[in-house]
Amino acid sequence: MATNCLSLQARDLTRVYRRGSEEIQALDGVSLSITKGEFVSFMGSSGSGKTTLINLLGCLDNPSSGELELAGKTVFGHGQKLGEKELTRVRREVFGYIFQNFYLIPTLTVLENVALPLAFFRKPGAEEEVERLLKMLGMEHRMNHLPGQISGGEMQRVAIARALVNRPEILLADEPTGNLDTKRAGEIGEVLTDLNRSSGLTIVMVTHNPELARLAGRRIEMRDGRAFEN
Amino acid sequence: MRFVLTKILLPVLLLALFTTSALAAVGCDLNNPDRDVPRLFPESTSFKTVYVSIQKLGGPALLKKIENRLGAQSIALYAPVDVPYTLYEIYKDKKKVGYIHGVNQKGQFGGIQVFIAQDLTGKVKTFYLQKITGASASKFREAKFARKFEGVTLKDFDHYDPVRGKGTGRVAEVPNPSPELETDYYGILRGLKKNLVLMDEFVFAAERAKP
Amino acid sequence: MMITPFQIAYKNLLRKKVRSVLTLIGIMLSTWVLVSLFGFNRGYETALNRDIENMGYQLMVMAKGCPYEAATMMLQGGKGLRYMDQSMVNQITKEPEVDKVTPILMQAFFDPNKGESGGIAGFYGVDAHSYPAMKPFFRFKKGGWFKDNTADEVVMGYEAAELEQREVGDETIVPEKNVKLKVVGILERTGSQDDGTIFVPLKTLQKISQVDQITTIGIKVKKDADITSLENKLYQLKDVQVVSFSQVKQTIMKLIATARVMVFSIAVVALLIAMVGVINTVLMSVLERRQEIGILKTMGAMPGDVFRLVWTETLILCGLGGVAGIFLAVIFSRVTDLLARSILPYAPKGGLVAIDLKLSLLTLAIIVVVGLLSGLYPAWKAGRIRPLESIRGE
């Protein structure tokens, strides 16, 4: 298998937090690889380390030890730490993120929110993505609405469009349906499955919702900072 | 401390000084009120200087009314409607006992400043020419002439016209002490009438209006 | 369809309208104070120069111990007048710096019918030709100058005419001497001591007072001539004193310096208050948006991008507030003028507050620079926000 088929490869990742004099081992040597096009879900109780892991996988944080390779290139490893700028560079090339709380900017319209990342970083042809994504996610009729005027499910769709506008390789979803009712959560699940199947988007998702987790092709259970594959 | 004195107190003092002096520089004032008031109103113990303007009291309508009462061009006010008139309110202890007020009136060789002290009914108590220009003008400033006007009221001008110099009553009977200066003689009488009319409008009309 | 960082910043300010507007008002008010102060700083000196220009002459020469001007002379009851020979005029005319010269005779007469115990009437004897040439800006309300130096005529300043109730054609009299003169001209108000002056032809006044000398010489200096050098030469003349209006101006400017320092401190305080206001507003809005800023970072915004975004907000606030303040200052410059007049020991005529485009731009630049300095810390703080702590920080 060629390395470029491997989206993410983690080796023996650990993360230790310090709270006062107490050390908390949030992640205790996790190794896993995620292949391009996979839809992976992480489940586990709070404190199980699932969020710490996804933050490391998404280059939002530096590990205490261990290595991470992205499409064959080492991001973390041999004890070196990346600065905020380097992390940002990696993130904007590779990742799109969605969160439980959507984090849309309330004074910008749906359209402007989706186009927002382009104000800072723009891959060639990204402009056309804005409308395509809005159409694909069924949001083009809401283009000129403000976030306060649309439903939670719609807000998450906008957030997804925003995450995808720079055509990332990997979509990181942190509790994407945590703030939605069952019906809307189901719809978002469908959207994610669809993106994974039709465009081959790699999705790494953390969730509490077993229904949503079941949609993922690969499910990993987190317990005490360790990963267990079912 | 020095800084406070020179940088803050001084400008504030200057401000206070210049705003008051700006106000005092208008109308017809007594040259030295502290000395003049006790002389013109012997029983006074204190006085208050107030500024009255036709603009504030009644505007152009009042100006028109006053000019009508004065009747003739030669007594006219020659002053814009917003010019403040200086009025001295006279007090004996805490009680108001009268007023002193002066006007400028045209004379043969210069302005004549006609001041009167009035009691609360409007009767002239003391008559004083603060300024009059001319060689034999001093005759008009003699006490003998001034005494002739003691007790005069505005009513005395009902039967006497100082413009034409015709009429009867006690004003008509005041002799001209300096017959060669006719203009000044009538100027003084006109100034007196103007003064009485203005005081009537400024003070006594309002008091009559009270129940 | 694209959105620029400027739009993001601008729209963010709309989020907390009241707060943004209050900050704007703060900036606007301090700009107002600042631009008015600058305007005053320049306008006052210009007006003072114009006033001195309106004196007609920059130097006065008079006999030693003689009072400067009519007002002082009257206060001293006409005593203390000293005379000098009229030939002095020719002597001074020879100096190369001198443009024009005019002889003046001040006289005071006792009028027993003025006030309780008599008063002083002052007359200003001037040359029928050279004096009007020095005061080309005099406007007559009615009439004009006397026809020659021996005419039995007077020209009255606005206030003098009002006090004496004179009109053109009326008679006036010189007290003590009982000489009758005819009023031939009444001047418009100038706002200077000329308003209270009665002008008489020089020869006429000399004849009335039986004096063939003069008290004062007014000197107009040539443009660009060295006044100081002329002053020094004049000091050498025997028994005369020299009054230089450039010295008078310096004295006045020294007096004004006090007021300037005070107003300037107010402006600095206003600027500091506005600055603290800006820091507060922008910092608050940064802290409130920690998570949003974190999200911007996950989207690929570099620390510099976020820094610029927040800085742009400051720039918009200061730019708008500054422009509004300048408009305010221009609109209310009359009010500022009146206020300044009430505070100042000496206020020249005409506009004291001169605000023009250059001055406005300068003030705007100062406000924007100060604003950008104030925005430095919040912007830096925002740039340093890390996505993880902000998103997971709740």
Side-chain angles (χ1 to χ4, degrees), chain A residues 5-44:
Chain A
C5 280
L6 276 180
S7 260
L8 270 170
Q9 176 131 35
R11 271 185 225 108
D12 212 15
L13 286 179
T14 62
R15 182 70 170 96
V16 181
Y17 293 108
R18 225 172 267 281
R19 189 176 290 150
S21 57
E22 193 189 358
E23 279 193 355
I24 298 160
Q25 181 96 24
L27 215 55
D28 189 10
V30 172
S31 298
L32 59 88
S33 29
I34 292 169
T35 319
K36 199 172 163 135
E38 270 193 298
F39 185 171
V40 188
S41 76
F42 290 89
M43 284 194 67

Coordinates of all heavy atoms in Angstrom, one line a residue, chain A residues 5-44:
Chain A
C5 N -1.8 6.9 0.2 CA -3.1 6.5 0.5 C -3.5 6.6 2.0 O -4.6 6.7 2.4 CB -3.4 5.0 0.2 SG -3.7 4.9 -1.6
L6 N -2.4 6.8 2.8 CA -2.6 7.0 4.2 C -2.8 8.5 4.5 O -1.9 9.3 4.2 CB -1.3 6.6 5.0 CG -1.2 5.1 5.3 CD1 0.1 4.9 6.1 CD2 -2.4 4.6 6.2
S7 N -4.0 8.8 5.0 CA -4.2 10.2 5.3 C -3.5 10.6 6.6 O -2.8 11.6 6.6 CB -5.7 10.4 5.5 OG -6.2 11.0 4.4
L8 N -3.6 9.8 7.6 CA -3.1 10.1 8.9 C -2.5 8.9 9.5 O -3.0 7.8 9.4 CB -4.2 10.5 9.8 CG -4.7 12.0 9.9 CD1 -5.9 12.1 10.7 CD2 -3.6 12.8 10.5
Q9 N -1.3 9.1 10.1 CA -0.7 8.0 10.8 C -0.2 8.5 12.1 O 0.7 9.4 12.2 CB 0.5 7.4 10.0 CG 1.2 6.3 10.7 CD 1.4 5.1 9.8 OE1 1.6 5.2 8.6 NE2 1.3 3.9 10.4
A10 N -0.7 7.9 13.2 CA -0.3 8.3 14.5 C 0.5 7.2 15.2 O 0.1 6.0 15.1 CB -1.5 8.7 15.4
R11 N 1.6 7.5 15.8 CA 2.4 6.5 16.5 C 2.6 6.9 17.9 O 3.3 7.9 18.2 CB 3.7 6.3 15.8 CG 3.7 5.3 14.7 CD 5.0 5.0 14.1 NE 4.9 5.0 12.6 CZ 5.4 6.0 11.8 NH1 6.0 7.0 12.4 NH2 5.2 5.9 10.5
D12 N 2.0 6.1 18.8 CA 2.3 6.2 20.2 C 2.1 7.6 20.8 O 3.0 8.2 21.5 CB 3.8 5.8 20.5 CG 3.9 5.1 21.8 OD1 2.9 4.8 22.4 OD2 5.1 5.0 22.3
L13 N 1.0 8.3 20.4 CA 0.8 9.6 20.8 C 0.4 9.7 22.3 O -0.5 8.9 22.7 CB -0.4 10.2 20.0 CG -0.1 10.7 18.6 CD1 -1.4 11.2 18.0 CD2 1.0 11.7 18.5
T14 N 1.0 10.5 23.0 CA 0.6 10.8 24.4 C 0.4 12.3 24.6 O 1.0 13.1 23.9 CB 1.7 10.3 25.4 OG1 2.9 11.1 25.2 CG2 2.0 8.8 25.3
R15 N -0.4 12.6 25.6 CA -0.6 14.0 26.0 C -0.8 14.1 27.5 O -1.7 13.4 28.0 CB -1.9 14.5 25.2 CG -2.1 16.0 25.5 CD -1.0 16.8 24.8 NE -1.4 18.3 24.8 CZ -0.9 19.1 25.7 NH1 -0.1 18.7 26.7 NH2 -1.2 20.4 25.7
V16 N 0.0 14.8 28.1 CA -0.1 15.0 29.5 C -0.4 16.5 29.8 O 0.2 17.4 29.3 CB 1.3 14.7 30.2 CG1 1.2 14.8 31.7 CG2 1.7 13.2 29.8
Y17 N -1.4 16.6 30.6 CA -1.8 18.0 31.1 C -1.3 18.2 32.5 O -1.2 17.2 33.2 CB -3.3 18.2 31.1 CG -3.9 18.2 29.7 CD1 -4.7 17.1 29.3 CD2 -3.7 19.3 28.8 CE1 -5.3 17.1 28.0 CE2 -4.3 19.3 27.6 CZ -5.1 18.2 27.2 OH -5.6 18.2 25.9
R18 N -1.0 19.4 32.8 CA -0.6 19.7 34.2 C -1.7 20.6 34.8 O -2.1 21.6 34.2 CB 0.7 20.4 34.1 CG 1.7 20.0 35.1 CD 3.0 20.7 34.8 NE 3.9 19.9 33.9 CZ 4.6 18.8 34.4 NH1 4.6 18.5 35.7 NH2 5.4 18.1 33.6
R19 N -2.2 20.1 35.9 CA -3.1 21.0 36.6 C -2.6 21.2 38.0 O -2.7 20.3 38.8 CB -4.5 20.4 36.7 CG -5.6 21.3 37.2 CD -7.0 20.7 37.1 NE -7.5 20.5 35.8 CZ -8.3 19.6 35.4 NH1 -8.7 18.7 36.3 NH2 -8.8 19.5 34.2
G20 N -2.0 22.4 38.2 CA -1.2 22.6 39.4 C -0.1 21.6 39.5 O 0.7 21.5 38.5
S21 N 0.0 20.9 40.6 CA 1.1 19.9 40.7 C 0.7 18.6 40.2 O 1.6 17.7 40.0 CB 1.5 19.8 42.2 OG 0.4 19.4 42.9
E22 N -0.5 18.4 39.8 CA -1.1 17.1 39.4 C -0.9 16.9 37.9 O -1.1 17.9 37.1 CB -2.6 17.1 39.7 CG -3.2 15.7 39.6 CD -4.7 15.9 39.7 OE1 -5.2 17.0 39.9 OE2 -5.4 14.8 39.6
E23 N -0.4 15.8 37.5 CA -0.3 15.5 36.1 C -1.4 14.6 35.6 O -1.8 13.6 36.3 CB 1.0 14.8 35.8 CG 2.2 15.7 35.7 CD 3.4 15.1 35.2 OE1 3.4 13.8 34.9 OE2 4.4 15.8 35.0
I24 N -2.1 15.0 34.5 CA -3.2 14.1 34.0 C -2.8 13.5 32.7 O -2.4 14.3 31.8 CB -4.4 15.0 33.8 CG1 -4.9 15.6 35.2 CG2 -5.6 14.2 33.2 CD1 -5.8 16.8 35.1
Q25 N -2.8 12.2 32.6 CA -2.4 11.6 31.4 C -3.7 11.5 30.5 O -4.5 10.6 30.7 CB -1.9 10.2 31.7 CG -1.5 9.4 30.5 CD 0.0 9.5 30.3 OE1 0.8 9.8 31.2 NE2 0.5 9.3 29.0
A26 N -3.9 12.4 29.6 CA -5.2 12.4 28.8 C -5.1 11.4 27.7 O -6.1 10.8 27.3 CB -5.4 13.8 28.2
L27 N -3.9 11.2 27.2 CA -3.7 10.2 26.1 C -2.5 9.4 26.4 O -1.5 9.9 26.8 CB -3.5 11.0 24.8 CG -4.1 10.4 23.5 CD1 -5.6 10.2 23.7 CD2 -3.9 11.4 22.4
D28 N -2.7 8.1 26.3 CA -1.7 7.2 26.8 C -1.2 6.3 25.7 O -1.5 5.1 25.7 CB -2.3 6.4 28.0 CG -1.2 5.6 28.7 OD1 0.0 5.8 28.4 OD2 -1.6 4.8 29.6
G29 N -0.5 6.8 24.8 CA 0.1 6.0 23.7 C -0.9 5.4 22.7 O -1.1 4.2 22.7
V30 N -1.4 6.3 21.9 CA -2.4 5.8 20.9 C -1.7 5.7 19.5 O -1.0 6.7 19.1 CB -3.5 6.8 20.8 CG1 -4.4 6.5 19.6 CG2 -4.3 6.8 22.1
S31 N -1.8 4.6 18.9 CA -1.3 4.4 17.5 C -2.4 4.0 16.7 O -3.2 3.2 17.0 CB -0.2 3.3 17.5 OG 0.9 3.7 18.3
L32 N -2.6 4.7 15.5 CA -3.6 4.3 14.6 C -3.3 4.9 13.3 O -2.6 6.0 13.2 CB -5.0 4.7 15.1 CG -5.4 6.1 15.4 CD1 -5.9 6.8 14.1 CD2 -6.4 6.2 16.5
S33 N -3.8 4.4 12.2 CA -3.7 5.0 10.9 C -5.1 5.1 10.3 O -5.9 4.3 10.4 CB -2.7 4.3 10.0 OG -2.7 3.0 10.2
I34 N -5.3 6.2 9.6 CA -6.5 6.5 8.9 C -6.2 6.6 7.4 O -5.4 7.5 7.0 CB -7.2 7.7 9.5 CG1 -7.6 7.5 10.9 CG2 -8.4 8.1 8.6 CD1 -8.1 8.7 11.7
T35 N -6.9 5.9 6.6 CA -6.7 5.9 5.2 C -7.6 6.9 4.6 O -8.6 7.2 5.1 CB -7.0 4.5 4.6 OG1 -6.5 3.5 5.5 CG2 -6.3 4.3 3.3
K36 N -7.1 7.4 3.4 CA -7.9 8.3 2.7 C -9.2 7.8 2.3 O -9.4 6.6 1.9 CB -7.1 8.7 1.4 CG -7.5 9.9 0.7 CD -6.6 10.3 -0.4 CE -7.3 11.3 -1.3 NZ -6.5 12.4 -1.7
G37 N -10.3 8.6 2.6 CA -11.6 8.2 2.2 C -12.4 7.5 3.3 O -13.5 7.1 3.2
E38 N -11.7 7.3 4.5 CA -12.4 6.6 5.6 C -13.3 7.6 6.3 O -13.1 8.8 6.3 CB -11.3 6.1 6.6 CG -10.9 4.6 6.2 CD -10.1 4.0 7.4 OE1 -9.0 4.6 7.7 OE2 -10.5 3.0 7.9
F39 N -14.3 7.0 7.0 CA -15.2 7.7 7.9 C -15.0 7.1 9.2 O -15.5 6.0 9.4 CB -16.6 7.6 7.4 CG -17.6 8.5 8.1 CD1 -18.9 8.6 7.6 CD2 -17.3 9.1 9.3 CE1 -19.9 9.4 8.3 CE2 -18.2 9.9 10.0 CZ -19.5 10.0 9.5
V40 N -14.3 7.8 10.1 CA -14.0 7.2 11.4 C -14.7 7.9 12.5 O -14.8 9.1 12.5 CB -12.4 7.3 11.7 CG1 -12.1 6.5 12.9 CG2 -11.7 6.8 10.5
S41 N -15.3 7.2 13.5 CA -15.9 7.8 14.6 C -15.2 7.4 15.9 O -14.8 6.2 16.0 CB -17.4 7.5 14.7 OG -17.6 6.2 15.1
F42 N -15.1 8.3 16.8 CA -14.6 8.1 18.1 C -15.7 8.2 19.1 O -16.3 9.3 19.1 CB -13.4 9.0 18.4 CG -12.2 8.8 17.6 CD1 -12.0 9.4 16.4 CD2 -11.2 7.9 18.1 CE1 -10.8 9.2 15.7 CE2 -10.0 7.7 17.4 CZ -9.9 8.3 16.1
M43 N -15.9 7.2 20.0 CA -16.8 7.3 21.0 C -16.2 7.1 22.4 O -15.1 6.5 22.4 CB -18.0 6.3 20.8 CG -18.9 6.8 19.8 SD -20.5 5.8 19.8 CE -21.2 6.3 21.3
G44 N -16.8 7.5 23.4 CA -16.2 7.3 24.7 C -16.8 8.3 25.7 O -17.4 9.3 25.3

